[in-house]
Amino acid sequence: MQEQSTTDTQWMLRALGVASQGPEADANPRVGCVLVAPDGTLVAEGWHRGAGTPHAEAAALAAAGGRSRGATAYVTLEPCHHDGRTGPCSRALADAGVARVVYAVGDPNASAAGGAAWLADHGVVTEGGVLEAEATELNRTWLHRIRTGRPWVTWKLATTLDGRSAAADGTSRWITGPEARSDVHEHRARCGAIVVGTGTALADDPHLTARHADGSLRDAQPLRVVMGQRHLPAGARVLDGAAETLHLRTRSPREALATLADREVHHVWLEGGPTVAAAFMADGLVDEIVAYVAPVLLGRGRPSVSDLGITTIDDALRLAPTDMRMIGHDIRITAVLQEAR
């Protein structure tokens, strides 16, 4: 039994590696499927390449070319059991003669769940929960949207050592170095939407695109979202056509996230100024903070976040760091609110 468990772990690790090749910002989860013959040899593997493409199980079965009978399928997410753009993966696995299905995470999406139970009812041995924690981390933002109904929100801020996001005259380019700015573009590319307020859009006139180190646009761009009632000038960079832009005429973070959830965005990269950041924080809608701290002192200027209504140290919002590293001359600190862990 222990030997089988070790084998399952090894193959599920491979399935997770395959799944990670899928697009992180896609509306769908990243899923990998590995088919293993009864003699323990690899038959085929596949992963979901994005909305409108075959699911991971279908891709693996197609690559197997009829060699799936008697195989074990290792899948990072419970096979779906609904008719969408493609047929149910549960039925496809059974029709292909797969004898056993091992999956990592149960599908929390009510419209797609039930695949494991259906497979078991039709004579396919099923087992769930193998490397569940690792698979959950792979799709944490997608799972968060399905379970809570709203996107996961990462607030990015660039700050000086004394907590300033801009100088007294309003200038803020550049607090951090080129390496940190390049790192921000890596993060932008992995999110479904970038959100700022009209204040940031008007004051900084940002592009809000994801670019390569040479300044060229990446192939896939996040949705650019501007929150607020004020009008944007026709010549604003955020309206330049390099990516889709959505102007949400609301100051409510909840309304904005509800709209983005309806568009199947599951990860928001919040780059708004101190006012927008404080609004999200006050509503309890920030799940993670990525802070780039530069070895710079200003003494006075715009704070990195506006008033949170905290008057005593006992009420301070405590964060739990999950990662800290040097990015060029700056320090990147990634942290989650302790209650969100």
Side-chain angles (χ1 to χ4, degrees), residues 223-245:
L223 174 68
R224 302 183 292 191
V225 181
V226 181
M227 287 176 54
Q229 301 289 348
R230 285 183 286 178
H231 295 289
L232 299 175
R237 289 174 177 171
V238 77
L239 301 176
D240 63 6
E244 183 182 1
T245 299

Side-chain angles (χ1 to χ4, degrees), residues 52-101:
T53 66
H55 287 189
E57 298 93 324
L61 291 172
R67 295 176 290 119
S68 303
R69 189 157 302 278
T72 295
Y74 293 90
V75 194
T76 57
L77 183 69
E78 177 187 2
C80 69
H81 189 62
H82 75 118
D83 286 293
R85 294 177 179 175
T86 60
C89 290
S90 53
R91 192 183 306 276
L93 290 166
D95 289 347
V98 170
R100 180 170 177 254
V101 173

Side-chain angles (χ1 to χ4, degrees), residues 161-275:
L161 277 177
D162 51 349
R164 304 296 177 179
S165 64
D169 65 356
T171 57
S172 60
R173 292 187 179 184
W174 296 100
I175 289 175
T176 56
E179 296 88 352
R181 297 197 295 274
S182 179
D183 192 66
V184 167
H185 285 281
E186 293 289 337
H187 280 79
R188 283 180 174 182
R190 298 200 296 268
C191 296
I194 304 173
V195 175
V196 300
T198 50
T200 295
L202 293 171
D204 296 344
D205 195 21
H207 287 287
L208 298 184
T209 51
R211 299 185 293 277
H212 295 289
D214 63 3
S216 61
L217 290 171
R218 293 172 181 261
D219 292 337
Q221 291 293 324
L223 174 68
R224 302 183 292 191
V225 181
V226 181
M227 287 176 54
Q229 301 289 348
R230 285 183 286 178
H231 295 289
L232 299 175
R237 289 174 177 171
V238 77
L239 301 176
D240 63 6
E244 183 182 1
T245 299
L246 181 64
H247 186 182
L248 297 178
R249 295 185 181 274
T250 179
R251 296 187 180 94
S252 167
R254 294 189 184 279
E255 289 182 15
L257 292 182
T259 298
L260 296 178
D262 288 342
R263 295 176 66 113
E264 298 187 300
V265 171
H266 55 84
H267 192 180
V268 165
W269 182 253
L270 179 64
E271 287 198 20
T275 301

Side-chain angles (χ1 to χ4, degrees), residues 150 153 155 251-254 257 270 273-287 289 305-310 315 317 337 339:
R150 69 163 178 85
V153 176
W155 171 33
R251 296 187 180 94
S252 167
R254 294 189 184 279
L257 292 182
L270 179 64
T275 301
V276 169
F280 273 81
M281 290 291 289
D283 282 354
L285 296 175
V286 172
D287 302 290
I289 296 173
V305 64
S306 296
D307 185 8
L308 295 174
I310 298 171
D315 295 335
L317 295 176
L337 295 176
E339 58 267 31

Side-chain angles (χ1 to χ4, degrees), residues 96-111:
V98 170
R100 180 170 177 254
V101 173
V102 180
Y103 63 93
V105 180
D107 195 333
N109 192 342
S111 65

